[in-house]
Amino acid sequence: MERGESRTRRGEGRFLREGDSSGSGRGGSGPSGEWPARASRAGADDDAKAAARAARAARLAKARASRDAASPRPTRSTRPGPQRRPRSEQAAAVRRPAPEPAPPRRFPDPRLTGLGSGLFCGAVMLVLGYLDSLMFGSLTLYSVLFLPVCALTAVWVREGDLLTAPVVVPIAFAVGLLPVAESGGGFSGNLMGLVSALATEAGWLYGGTLIAGLVVLVRRVRLIARRVAARRRASAGGA
């Protein structure tokens, strides 16, 4: 009986100690009750920091509003400004070459060979001689018309056959005299009329030949000057 009572007392004492330990844990006086206090202090610190940030943001907003009120921004005009072209279009406009002026109209500039110039001059003088014999029958008119024909022949002959013009114009003058010259009948009469016409119109014949020679001389000088200039340019470019 004494042993049973002692066991019962030991159990009651153990139960009381366990109850005291559990009570102390629930009441927060032990080590496990310290973390709620720390959590509450951390929450208070966070709230204080948030309030400080909000106050700082309010101060910045207020300072910005006062600055904007002190210096108002200029209002933008709604008028459309000059539109700038893209750089590619500007470069194309700059690089575009100016239109070349139209070349002036020129008179026809044919080029006759030596034989062609002789045929041209002879045919024209023969036609003029026939027309003169039918309408006027004047050697003077025929000789006057001979001068422009000589000039045209010397201008239209090509550069390689310049020396043929002063040679063919006297022959053409004699050919055109056949229908104009007075003839006494037969071959000998026609020949004598041609010789007498050449003798009387020798001044016009020499004048026409001189005109052709001067035109040919001028063209020859210009041709030589162009060749010399081309050689100089070629030598300067090669150097």
Side-chain angles (χ1 to χ4, degrees):
M1 291 296 289
E2 292 176 358
R3 292 178 179 176
E5 289 176 0
S6 62
R7 289 178 181 175
T8 303
R9 290 174 182 175
R10 290 176 182 174
E12 289 176 359
R14 190 178 296 173
F15 178 76
L16 291 174
R17 286 195 297 272
E18 290 177 359
D20 293 339
S21 62
S22 62
S24 63
R26 292 175 184 176
S29 61
S32 58
E34 294 180 359
W35 70 271
R38 293 179 180 177
S40 62
R41 285 197 299 271
D45 294 340
D46 292 340
D47 295 339
K49 290 179 180 179
R53 285 196 294 269
R56 189 182 302 171
R59 287 196 302 271
L60 291 175
K62 187 176 180 180
R64 190 176 299 170
S66 62
R67 192 189 309 160
D68 294 341
S71 59
R73 296 181 180 178
T75 57
R76 296 182 180 179
S77 61
T78 57
R79 296 180 181 178
Q83 299 180 357
R84 294 183 178 180
R85 295 182 179 179
R87 293 184 179 179
S88 58
E89 294 184 3
Q90 293 179 359
V94 172
R95 295 176 183 176
R96 187 178 301 169
E100 297 181 359
R105 294 183 179 181
R106 296 179 179 179
F107 292 102
D109 191 16
R111 285 291 176 259
L112 302 174
T113 62
L115 180 60
S117 62
L119 293 176
F120 166 76
C121 189
V124 171
M125 293 310 301
L126 186 62
V127 171
L128 291 176
Y130 273 109
L131 293 176
D132 186 23
S133 64
L134 292 175
M135 299 173 63
F136 304 102
S138 173
L139 290 174
T140 305
L141 178 61
Y142 172 80
S143 301
V144 171
L145 294 177
F146 173 68
L147 300 180
V149 175
C150 293
L152 288 177
T153 304
V155 169
W156 286 350
V157 68
R158 66 183 184 181
E159 295 177 349
D161 298 324
L162 288 175
L163 298 179
T164 59
V167 177
V168 298
V169 290
I171 300 174
F173 184 82
V175 171
L177 276 177
L178 292 175
V180 184
E182 296 178 0
S183 58
F187 177 75
S188 59
N190 293 331
L191 183 59
M192 289 301 297
L194 178 60
V195 171
S196 60
L198 287 173
T200 56
E201 304 297 329
W204 296 102
L205 175 62
Y206 295 150
T209 306
L210 180 61
I211 291 174
L214 290 176
V215 173
V216 167
L217 180 62
V218 172
R219 290 186 60 190
R220 184 68 179 178
V221 170
R222 293 181 60 185
L223 176 62
I224 294 174
R226 286 198 301 268
R227 289 179 179 177
V228 171
R231 290 176 183 174
R232 289 179 180 176
R233 286 195 299 268
S235 61

